[in-house]
Amino acid sequence: TQLLEQSPQFLSIQEGENLTVYCNSSSVFSSLQWYRQEPGEGPVLLVTVVTGGEVKKLKRLTFQFGDARKDSSLHITAAQPGDTGLYLCAGARTGTASKLTFGTGTRLQVTL
Amino acid sequence: DAGITQSPRYKITETGRQVTLMCHQTWSHSYMFWYRQDLGHGLRLIYYSAAADITDKGEVPDGYVVSRSKTENFPLTLESATRSQTSVYFCASRGVAAYGYTFGSGTRLTVV
């Protein structure tokens, strides 16, 4: 059973476009993280959100944690080729804070 | 160099052989994790460790053995490799006060 569903699975856009990636679950998470993974490498942490309704910005990336702490979104403004990669959300469920459950990922390709 | 290193990067082994994947971190992080990454399944937790000599099963532990005699090392052993264990394996670590994981670069294992 996949606890975290990401959508879309694949996204191919042109440079300059905006996009949103969604991460949804029926479970409540004490914290949620977003990672980016490039080919041949391990995932790299982008952000952690811990409070329901929290919004964090990292340059052109905006992350939001749902009020009920069951979902999250990642919005990229004016995408660049350097944003290309696999985006993964990962949640820590209450009482299991040391273990993360990962979503299946969204593969983003940004072309010139 | 500081960081988390996995070895080997690539490994081909035959069905039925024992193989050990190594993971070493230099931060003295308490928590260490082993994940496997497969198309369609995302990252799935195999085993994790909260401290030296403390290990516990994750989502897919069957066929794997771990040990943690020293804080910095967390080897993963496939006792009798099967083709279904062909995958990319990632080791990760996390400090007690941190949320995010730091991942190694992975080991691509092929069982023939």
Side-chain angles (χ1 to χ4, degrees):
Chain A
T1 302
Q2 189 63 42
L3 291 177
L4 281 166
E5 299 288 341
Q6 284 187 241
S7 61
Q9 286 186 297
F10 303 97
L11 198 52
S12 182
I13 62 172
Q14 291 189 320
E15 184 180 18
E17 292 185 21
N18 301 332
L19 66 115
T20 302
V21 176
Y22 299 93
C23 176
N24 295 297
S25 176
S26 57
S27 300
V28 175
F29 292 96
S30 59
S31 66
L32 198 136
Q33 300 168 21
W34 285 91
Y35 292 79
R36 183 169 71 202
Q37 185 179 18
E38 299 190 17
E41 296 297 328
V44 175
L45 179 68
L46 296 174
V47 77
T48 301
V49 285
V50 297
T51 304
E54 182 177 4
V55 177
K56 279 193 175 179
K57 292 190 175 183
L58 185 66
K59 296 184 180 178
R60 294 176 294 100
L61 278 60
T62 301
F63 304 86
Q64 185 164 7
F65 200 11
D67 290 341
R69 292 185 290 138
K70 293 182 179 181
D71 54 83
S72 181
S73 64
L74 158 60
H75 182 79
I76 301 179
T77 303
Q80 299 177 358
D83 295 326
T84 293
L86 179 67
Y87 288 83
L88 297 161
C89 66
R93 294 168 69 190
T94 303
T96 64
S98 60
K99 296 187 293 183
L100 285 179
T101 299
F102 281 82
T104 50
T106 295
R107 192 166 296 280
L108 172 65
Q109 182 172 28
V110 183
T111 56
L112 294 171
Chain B
D1 290 338
I4 182 165
T5 55
Q6 293 185 237
S7 61
R9 282 300 306 268
Y10 304 92
K11 176 74 176 179
I12 299 175
T13 191
E14 294 179 339
T15 301
R17 288 193 179 266
Q18 181 181 83
V19 61
T20 296
L21 310 184
M22 304 302 293
C23 179
H24 175 79
Q25 52 106 352
T26 60
W27 296 296
S28 298
H29 282 169
S30 294
Y31 293 99
M32 295 188 75
F33 308 86
W34 275 106
Y35 283 85
R36 59 179 290 175
Q37 187 172 36
D38 305 286
L39 282 174
H41 291 282
L43 281 157
R44 292 181 291 173
L45 181 64
I46 304 170
Y47 269 96
Y48 70 103
S49 170
D53 297 323
I54 300 175
T55 62
D56 206 350
K57 297 177 180 179
E59 181 185 354
V60 289
D62 292 345
Y64 303 95
V65 175
V66 293
S67 62
R68 196 160 175 213
S69 57
K70 293 183 178 181
T71 299
E72 61 266 32
N73 297 323
F74 192 38
L76 175 73
T77 298
L78 287 67
E79 295 183 294
S80 178
T82 65
R83 290 197 180 91
S84 65
Q85 292 177 310
T86 292
S87 186
V88 181
Y89 291 84
F90 287 101
C91 178
S93 71
R94 178 177 78 83
V96 171
Y99 286 103
Y101 289 11
T102 301
F103 282 84
S105 296
T107 294
R108 183 175 292 277
L109 176 68
T110 301
V111 183
V112 298

